Amino acid sequence: MKAFVATGNPAESVRRIEVQEPVQRPDEALVKVDAYSVNRGETFQLEGPPREGWRPGKDVAGLVVQAAPDGSGPQVGQRVVGHPPAAGWAEYVAVPAGGLAVLPSSVSAVQAAALPLAGLTALRLLRTAGSVAGRRILLTGASGGVGHYFTELAAAAGASVTAVSASAERGERLGELGAAAVVREVGDAQGAFDVVLESTGGKNLPVALSRLAPRGQLVWFGQASREPVELNFFDFFAGPLSATVRHFSYADSDGPDAPDLQTLVRLVAEGRLHPEIGLTADWGLTAQVLDDLRQRRIRGNAVLTLS
């Protein structure tokens, strides 16, 4: 079968080659991939692959062609969305049954492929924020898939979301999804906020912290700027007295991904969650799309399709 592998060459980070078809473990289903999503964070992984033989790809949608040998999960012929640990940019991928959710006919493979990483992150961020009804939330780096999903979910739950987006077009869309306010810079946000969700790092995190209300919570879940943070803890006395700063990882979950994936699929099917597809292209263009992601030429999710 054909699959993309990491090259270790910044000029061409991936190459499509022939590889062996996956060998299923007892709890894995074999999925014929119809579409997959690429995320900006994966471009960072390609710069330094985590292990020998690793292949990229964590967001897929397709058809189960072999069910898990242990009988768990979706069965042959069912359309699914999946979140494998790796190797999804391929014609076939073995996915743990606990990382698969069945798709209704109303949800397309392109929509579904845009859900796993960004959608799971947004859904679990919302849980981390706690009861958000009536609370003010500041969200930095809101132009991407996580930002769009979180804004729509939080606004529907009764939160007042201020989203930070440098793009006027993306800002307008965030407003349509329920953001109470959209600002171009973190410093333009009018606090104080009960919760700050910070994903850019660098100089923005201390500014975001200064917008936090006393006893509020700042949740750090990314560092898109790739710049280190310098934080003066005396700044807590200037406003966010007794505030909490915590780290969040979407992978820190108590159980399998399938229930949360099924929730995301249900919300899309009911018209209550809208995947933001910034680009759809043939999977042969994966290397070019990755470069576009690095250069921030794509807003929302980028989805590659297999014929």
Side-chain angles (χ1 to χ4, degrees), residues 31-220:
V31 175
K32 180 181 182 295
V33 179
D34 290 327
Y36 58 82
S37 176
V38 298
N39 301 282
R40 191 164 183 268
E42 288 172 306
T43 69
F44 303 154
Q45 280 189 309
L46 290 169
E47 295 174 7
R51 61 184 179 277
E52 185 71 26
W54 171 85
R55 290 194 282 113
K58 295 176 70 67
D59 293 0
V60 303
L63 186 74
V64 175
V65 293
Q66 291 183 28
D70 67 3
S72 61
Q75 300 302 299
V76 172
Q78 290 187 303
R79 296 173 61 246
V80 292
V81 58
H83 192 48
W89 301 353
E91 292 181 296
Y92 296 90
V93 60
V95 186
L100 290 168
V102 176
L103 295 175
S105 59
S106 60
V107 178
S108 71
V110 170
Q111 289 176 304
L115 284 174
L117 183 58
L120 290 171
T121 301
L123 185 63
R124 292 168 182 173
L125 271 174
L126 187 63
R127 292 197 186 117
T128 298
S131 177
V132 299
R135 304 181 78 196
R136 299 192 67 194
I137 298 177
L138 174 63
L139 175 66
T140 70
S143 292
V146 174
H148 285 84
Y149 287 137
F150 180 86
T151 297
E152 189 167 19
L153 289 170
S160 175
V161 179
T162 294
V164 182
S165 173
S167 165
E169 178 187 359
R170 292 293 90 193
E172 182 177 351
R173 179 57 179 153
L174 288 163
E176 293 171 354
L177 293 173
V182 180
V183 296
R184 303 289 291 273
E185 306 264 352
V186 180
D188 296 333
Q190 301 297 311
F193 295 94
D194 303 295
V195 179
V196 171
L197 303 176
E198 214 295 294
S199 65
T200 55
K203 63 183 181 180
N204 283 334
L205 193 148
V207 178
L209 177 66
S210 72
R211 300 300 189 269
L212 193 62
R215 294 172 297 283
Q217 177 180 210
L218 185 146
V219 180
W220 172 72

Side-chain angles (χ1 to χ4, degrees), residues 211-278:
R211 300 300 189 269
L212 193 62
R215 294 172 297 283
Q217 177 180 210
L218 185 146
V219 180
W220 172 72
F221 69 100
Q223 196 160 329
S225 69
R226 309 189 76 181
E227 297 176 359
V229 174
E230 293 185 7
L231 186 61
N232 183 347
F233 280 85
F234 284 104
D235 290 343
F236 282 87
F237 297 108
L241 191 67
S242 299
T244 301
V245 176
R246 64 168 293 183
H247 175 245
F248 166 88
S249 170
Y250 90 101
D252 184 18
S253 175
D254 293 333
D257 293 326
D260 284 347
L261 285 174
Q262 201 66 63
T263 295
L264 294 168
V265 169
R266 175 177 58 81
L267 292 172
V268 172
E270 294 172 355
R272 297 164 60 190
L273 188 67
H274 298 82
E276 297 294 314
I277 312 298

Side-chain angles (χ1 to χ4, degrees), residues 255-305:
D257 293 326
D260 284 347
L261 285 174
Q262 201 66 63
T263 295
L264 294 168
V265 169
R266 175 177 58 81
L267 292 172
V268 172
E270 294 172 355
R272 297 164 60 190
L273 188 67
H274 298 82
E276 297 294 314
I277 312 298
L279 175 73
T280 305
D282 181 84
W283 75 309
L285 299 175
T286 297
Q288 178 182 322
V289 171
L290 287 168
D291 186 59
D292 287 339
L293 281 173
R294 289 189 196 94
Q295 303 302 322
R296 298 184 179 275
R297 290 191 286 260
I298 300 172
R299 302 292 182 180
N301 293 96
V303 177
L304 286 306
T305 60

